Amino acid sequence: MPKPWSHLPEFSSCTFIIGSGPSIDSYGENFFSRLMDSGTVLGVNNVASNFPCHYNIRKSFGTERSVPASFPEYDYANPDCRLIISEHDCGTISSDNLKNTNVDGDYFFFTHKDNLVSKGVNWPENDQIIVSWSTMTSAMHLAAAMGSTLIILIGHDLTGRNYSLYPSAPGPRYSKFRKQSNQVREYLEDRYGCTIVSMSPFLGLGRKR
């Protein structure tokens, strides 16, 4: 039976969130294999299949606009990786048929406002978690809400492609996510007193000067 995200054990003071940008290919061979020793590691979408993570963050089990009849068998790089997913597929509140929590299984879920996608961020209330155009913002919010004071984004490059091992998929230009990523960073740092930094210097999440 799925459990709400509030049942998660507290995260490390430092959380690493791995995205799918091409800068991932530039890291050394041992970088990701040792990351779990340094803090909590979250992998966004299919990233957790290639790199060891404590948790896999998703808004869809697999194919968008579809909820599977049974819990998928993910081939995680870390066999003990746990899934955390939005209550509704894609974060879009439409019909009960597209509720991810209809799927029975041992995983965690988070409630949320309706995903406005390109129209802006629908800011959460109470214990809701942010959903937006990019799943990265949900991961950022979960890390802050679970007690991490330093959140390090890896591979959130916001360019037009993914790293070499990541499956290609149709979608918007990732650069369109930049504004929402900035807005969510500012919101989380103000609300939780955390610090969010990116290891992609060209991301555009740097401090205002």
Side-chain angles (χ1 to χ4, degrees):
M1 170 180 265
K3 296 181 283 292
W5 69 271
S6 57
H7 289 207
L8 287 162
E10 187 174 12
F11 288 6
S12 168
S13 61
C14 178
T15 287
F16 301 92
I17 307 177
I18 309 175
S20 63
S23 67
I24 293 295
D25 289 327
S26 67
Y27 290 93
E29 183 176 343
N30 295 324
F31 177 81
F32 293 103
S33 64
R34 298 172 178 171
L35 210 56
M36 288 176 58
D37 295 331
S38 301
T40 302
V41 180
L42 309 182
V44 174
N45 295 324
N46 294 318
V47 165
S49 295
N50 297 130
F51 305 108
C53 301
H54 292 98
Y55 298 101
N56 177 210
I57 314 301
R58 292 176 173 267
K59 298 199 299 285
S60 296
F61 281 106
T63 304
E64 294 182 355
R65 313 300 180 198
S66 175
V67 173
S70 60
F71 187 76
E73 294 186 11
Y74 295 111
D75 186 19
Y76 289 137
N78 169 27
D80 295 324
C81 181
R82 303 292 302 278
L83 174 68
I84 309 174
I85 195 168
S86 57
E87 181 180 23
H88 295 263
D89 178 65
C90 296
T92 303
I93 301 175
S94 54
S95 71
D96 285 342
N97 292 333
L98 290 177
K99 287 185 70 173
N100 288 324
T101 50
N102 288 340
V103 179
D104 192 28
D106 185 15
Y107 63 92
F108 297 92
F109 72 94
F110 55 88
T111 58
H112 50 84
K113 289 282 190 68
D114 192 28
N115 191 353
L116 301 180
V117 193
S118 62
K119 297 179 181 179
V121 180
N122 201 355
W123 300 105
E125 296 179 357
N126 302 319
D127 63 349
Q128 294 175 332
I129 295 295
I130 289 170
V131 292
S132 73
W133 212 348
S134 170
T135 306
M136 177 63 76
T137 58
S138 299
M140 290 161 60
H141 191 180
L142 281 163
M146 290 304 300
S148 295
T149 54
L150 176 61
I151 300 167
I152 300 175
L153 313 183
I154 307 171
H156 190 44
D157 301 341
L158 302 180
T159 65
R161 59 190 180 90
N162 299 307
Y163 65 86
S164 57
L165 294 177
Y166 198 87
S168 60
R173 292 197 311 273
Y174 294 141
S175 60
K176 293 184 176 181
F177 299 160
R178 182 172 286 111
K179 180 179 179 180
Q180 292 183 8
S181 293
N182 269 311
Q183 291 174 331
V184 170
R185 174 184 61 78
E186 292 174 358
Y187 168 85
L188 296 176
E189 289 188 336
D190 180 65
R191 177 175 174 180
Y192 295 97
C194 60
T195 298
I196 300 174
V197 297
S198 172
M199 293 181 67
S200 300
F202 45 90
L203 172 61
L205 283 185
R207 297 293 186 272
K208 296 178 181 178
R209 295 181 183 274

